[in-house]
Amino acid sequence: MLEQMKLAMLAHIPVIYIPTDQMELIHEILYSDNTIDSLVPRVKYDSEKKAVVKLADKEYGVKDDEKRTFSSIKDNYLIFVNSIDSDVVRCPSILLTYTTKWDKVETGIRNFISDYMGMKRSKDNNPNPYHVANISRSLCIVVTPTEQVIPENIAPYVMTVRVPALLDEEIEAVIASEFNAESMDISVLRRSEVLYSQMIVSLRGFSVLRIRQLLRQMIASQSIDFNHVNADAVLAAIRVSKKQMLENCNGLKWEETNATNAAGLDSISKWLEERIDIFSDPERAAQCHTDIPNGLLISGIPGSGKSLMAKTAAYKLGLPLISLDMGALLNSLMGESEHNMINALRMSENMAPCVLWIDEIEKGLSGVQSSGATDGGVTSRIFSTILTWMQEKTAPVFVVATANNINQLPPELLRKGRFDEIFFVDLPSQKEKENIFSIHLQKNRQNVSSFALDILAQKAEGFNGAEIEECVKEAMFTAYVESQESNIAPKLQMIHILDAIKNTVPLSKTMEKQITDLRKFAVSRAKNASKEIVLENRMEMPILLTRPELELERSFDSVLSEKDSNSNNI
């Protein structure tokens, strides 16, 4: 970072923008001897001579009235909060402002740039040469806790310097130094190479200060002591710290994962189980030149358990689950929506390894084709950002996207490389419906053996998982009402569930045509999420084309028909 700041001064760039919440790092960079020697001239303002004079070689530190020395921090640094005032500059200085939003300092920055360029005039319409000389050798630094869009009118004069993430070697060095400071042997931690590898990967994106605080917390809580390391407690502490980092990030939310199984989605579960070892031991996977999976796209009928499968995926892989709400990223200001998406994706990389869940992705990307005419191209630019990130990301972020209507998704998103696999979730089979009834009866603390699950599954023809769950809930409510009327303990019976099924019209009837079209579209484009395929789905179905595919087919037909007409004329 210091080198980039030096380059900015040599290139006469007046303003440096550093988006970071690591104030301790800014303090270390600015107030180190190297910065004082290289960024600003070692000068001070002598009030007696009323001039800028050079400091002695060792003349910096705390002000000492007896020795008549001056603190270079006092003379060479001007600190502001949510403001900037270049009029107070009396010698070449670093003007540092810490703000939450650019609009709070925009006017002050604009005035500083005017001074820097010699555009600000005095009463006699001439620039003050003394002031210009000081400002032109100064540097303005703007720090915000999160990255924001730089106002257009000052963007050409601003250079953005991002705090680089710590390398694995640097993380290891921080851990080793903290163990030495606590007089502990790091070999205690390295006894389990798998845990040590997981810990290094999980600490990516953390600052030096945050890692040190986290290690001290682990030592204080005895998760790490002189002879033993509690692996579960160590990884749990890192997750809690990551959860706190997400609290102020727009569009991202930490999700709890309690699900262990999604009934009827055996093919997806098997696919995930085959890849668990890659996430549990990433170092070994890297040594074997095995890439970490990119993610899954789960499409299918509404209420079939797609969202539940996303939570189950995180649980099976042993990773934190973070949901991305694309609607929360939209902003009325030009460029802010795209910036919010970039920040969210960057934060998800800081959370790695993790599962990034994008629910109903087709809703967030709706209108991509007409984006230029409807929203000024915001949706298409956000979509482009997602595509590039999914293709180029190196952090172990496993993306799980769900979609009710895969037909609405742009073809660019469906090609191999974006997602490792695309699964289609259909209506559950007879056996799967029995399992779903069993799960929800157990949830409501009922004795499953008291119910004829095969009969319930037969009666629930065309029901999806969500509808079966609601039938059990409705039956429980009916049993509760009856118990209040007869003043007895509530007892769920078969008749209660059968009545609830009878009074429910499943989605497969109300949206029969749409569901049939979904099945036809997915038959050649996605794997079935279930091992058991419903009998009616085994029939050969015509393949439906997307809108771009239809347009391409029509263009080919027109070209062929034109050739045929030309040949007939000959």
Side-chain angles (χ1 to χ4, degrees), residues 412-429:
E412 306 96 290
L413 192 65
L414 302 179
R415 75 161 179 81
K416 283 287 187 180
R418 311 292 189 199
F419 295 101
D420 295 294
E421 198 59 77
I422 300 175
F423 285 96
F424 177 74
V425 185
D426 206 338
L427 292 173
S429 65

Side-chain angles (χ1 to χ4, degrees), residues 311-484:
K311 296 180 179 181
T312 304
Y315 186 89
K316 284 182 176 292
L317 297 174
L319 301 176
L321 178 66
I322 299 165
S323 62
L324 173 62
D325 182 2
M326 296 178 66
L329 302 176
L330 299 178
N331 195 290
S332 59
L333 298 177
M334 176 65 73
E336 193 71 28
S337 302
E338 298 90 320
H339 229 75
N340 289 341
M341 174 59 75
I342 293 171
N343 285 339
L345 295 177
R346 189 175 291 130
M347 178 59 75
S348 70
E349 291 184 340
N350 290 340
M351 297 292 107
C354 66
V355 173
L356 182 65
W357 172 29
I358 310 176
D359 198 21
E360 298 190 0
I361 189 172
E362 81 277 18
K363 304 290 192 305
L365 298 177
S366 62
V368 169
Q369 305 296 338
S370 60
S371 177
T374 56
D375 60 7
V378 171
T379 305
S380 60
R381 288 194 294 273
I382 287 177
F383 177 54
S384 175
T385 300
I386 294 174
L387 286 181
T388 304
W389 177 78
M390 290 182 67
Q391 186 68 33
E392 303 297 331
K393 68 180 174 69
T394 55
V397 179
F398 185 76
V399 181
V400 177
T402 64
N404 288 325
N405 193 349
I406 192 175
N407 192 14
Q408 295 179 358
L409 289 174
E412 306 96 290
L413 192 65
L414 302 179
R415 75 161 179 81
K416 283 287 187 180
R418 311 292 189 199
F419 295 101
D420 295 294
E421 198 59 77
I422 300 175
F423 285 96
F424 177 74
V425 185
D426 206 338
L427 292 173
S429 65
Q430 171 75 14
K431 184 66 177 175
E432 290 165 350
K433 284 186 286 187
E434 292 179 19
N435 291 337
I436 295 170
F437 270 113
S438 175
I439 288 171
H440 291 297
L441 287 170
Q442 289 176 16
K443 270 188 181 179
N444 289 280
R445 300 182 180 180
Q446 299 297 315
N447 184 4
V448 178
S449 60
S450 303
F451 299 88
L453 298 180
D454 55 340
I455 295 175
L456 292 176
Q458 287 175 1
K459 295 294 182 182
E461 181 64 32
F463 280 50
N464 59 40
E467 290 162 344
I468 291 173
E469 180 182 9
E470 287 304 313
C471 285
V472 174
K473 287 182 179 179
E474 180 64 25
M476 288 293 296
F477 176 74
T478 304
Y480 175 76
V481 171
E482 288 182 359
S483 67
Q484 282 188 318

Side-chain angles (χ1 to χ4, degrees), residues 178-179 182 184 212-226 228 233-234 237:
E178 194 59 35
F179 267 71
E182 297 290 335
M184 296 179 66
R212 286 174 177 164
Q213 290 173 338
L214 198 53
L215 289 171
R216 290 167 193 164
Q217 177 187 332
M218 293 174 187
I219 294 170
S221 63
Q222 296 185 340
S223 300
I224 300 175
D225 59 27
F226 289 94
H228 175 69
V234 166

Side-chain angles (χ1 to χ4, degrees), residues 499-537:
D499 285 343
I501 293 172
K502 185 179 178 182
N503 296 327
T504 301
V505 179
L507 198 65
S508 59
K509 289 186 177 179
T510 57
M511 297 182 63
E512 184 175 359
K513 184 180 182 304
Q514 293 92 324
I515 290 175
T516 301
D517 290 343
L518 276 178
R519 287 171 170 168
K520 290 177 180 178
F521 184 84
V523 68
S524 64
R525 293 175 173 85
K527 284 187 176 180
N528 198 294
S530 169
K531 285 183 178 178
E532 297 188 27
I533 304 175
V534 182
L535 186 61
E536 61 182 285
N537 295 339

